[in-house]
Amino acid sequence: DVKVTQSSRYLVKRTGEKVFLECVQDMDHENMFWYRQDPGLGLRLIYFSYDVKMKEKGDIPEGYSVSREKKERFSLILESASTNQTSMYLCASSLGRGQTQYFGPGTRLLVL
Amino acid sequence: GENVEQHPSTLSVQEGDSAVIKCTYSDSASNYFPWYKQELGKGPQLIIDIRSNVGEKKDQRIAVTLNKTAKHFSLHITETQPEDSAVYFCAAGGQGAQKLVFGQGTRLTINP
């Protein structure tokens, strides 16, 4: 079974803090994704990566950056957290183009 | 870019009845349409998908239909059971696309 793990299930941070969300997949998948999930808005793509050190902006990249130094790990970085970044963050991975995306359990982030 | 609309946002059905969730998409180049189920406290999990070379696909109590002309696709769940209660998301992606665009989600409740 594909396993996608996220470093934290719940996080509470202060406005202005730098926040790191980590995601690891164990199936040698090429593609990795970061989404945020908000009620009534579904899943919105923040960034994705199709190879080590490669990244592409999704639909809502503002206020976020990413890092992929190793194939199995994809990090989402909030340089200076703001209250409007309070959300559920979901990581996913897929073997290749047009392939099934497998999701992690999510990190619920609260920014105070 | 692609836009996916999903209806209804909430759906309540009696156990044993059928449930139908509908999605429309805007980009005629999209040809991959997965459906994900998200249970409480978990990440979304693929339950069925369809590609544009077929009009219908069935897997036990779950079926998906696709109308490319009208640019809409639907999820049908028959003989609903309490464990079908969850949030369901549709999504659309293009040929060999690395990214998916998700609908807003439908919260399905099965009443005993």
Side-chain angles (χ1 to χ4, degrees):
Chain A
D1 274 355
V2 175
K3 192 162 185 185
V4 180
T5 57
Q6 296 184 229
S7 51
S8 305
R9 295 301 303 271
Y10 302 95
L11 271 180
V12 181
K13 297 292 181 181
R14 297 278 180 194
T15 302
E17 279 193 78
K18 190 169 186 176
V19 182
F20 292 87
L21 303 182
E22 303 284 335
C23 175
V24 177
Q25 51 92 5
D26 67 356
M27 287 301 292
D28 203 34
H29 281 180
E30 298 291 331
N31 296 344
M32 296 188 75
F33 308 83
W34 275 107
Y35 294 88
R36 64 176 282 176
Q37 180 179 6
D38 300 289
L41 298 178
L43 279 65
R44 292 180 293 166
L45 183 64
I46 303 171
Y47 267 98
F48 67 101
S49 167
Y50 51 89
D51 201 352
V52 175
K53 297 191 184 294
M54 306 302 286
K55 61 184 179 184
E56 281 200 27
K57 293 181 180 179
D59 299 316
I60 51 165
E62 296 79 17
Y64 303 94
S65 63
V66 290
S67 172
R68 193 168 181 201
E69 296 296 319
K70 293 184 178 181
K71 191 175 186 180
E72 67 271 18
R73 189 179 298 270
F74 192 34
S75 303
L76 180 69
I77 303 155
L78 287 67
E79 293 288 343
S80 178
S82 63
T83 54
N84 62 13
Q85 292 178 310
T86 290
S87 187
M88 168 72 87
Y89 290 88
L90 290 162
C91 174
S93 72
S94 70
L95 183 60
R97 289 177 176 269
Q99 300 295 309
T100 302
Q101 291 189 23
Y102 296 87
F103 284 83
T107 296
R108 190 168 292 281
L109 172 67
L110 173 62
V111 182
L112 300 173
Chain B
E2 175 66 277
N3 183 51
V4 177
E5 297 286 334
Q6 182 173 346
H7 298 281
S9 56
T10 60
L11 180 60
S12 183
V13 302
Q14 288 298 121
E15 183 177 352
D17 288 350
S18 295
V20 181
I21 302 169
K22 298 181 179 181
C23 289
T24 60
Y25 62 99
S26 61
D27 189 349
S28 56
S30 290
N31 65 352
Y32 173 58
F33 307 95
W35 285 89
Y36 284 83
K37 176 184 181 182
Q38 185 177 28
E39 297 175 330
L40 197 61
K42 297 183 179 180
Q45 184 174 11
L46 180 75
I47 54 171
I48 196 168
D49 58 11
I50 192 168
R51 297 187 186 268
S52 63
N53 55 341
V54 297
E56 183 173 359
K57 185 176 178 180
K58 193 172 182 180
D59 182 4
Q60 299 181 358
R61 295 185 298 109
I62 294 172
V64 57
T65 58
L66 171 65
N67 183 328
K68 282 222 79 179
T69 303
K71 294 208 279 277
H72 66 71
F73 56 112
S74 301
L75 177 71
H76 305 253
I77 306 174
T78 58
E79 302 171 16
T80 53
Q81 300 168 4
E83 54 265 35
D84 295 329
S85 293
V87 178
Y88 291 81
F89 292 97
C90 64
Q95 178 68 32
Q98 288 174 323
K99 60 182 227 179
L100 297 172
V101 177
F102 284 81
Q104 296 84 352
T106 296
R107 182 174 297 279
L108 175 62
T109 302
I110 307 302
N111 301 310

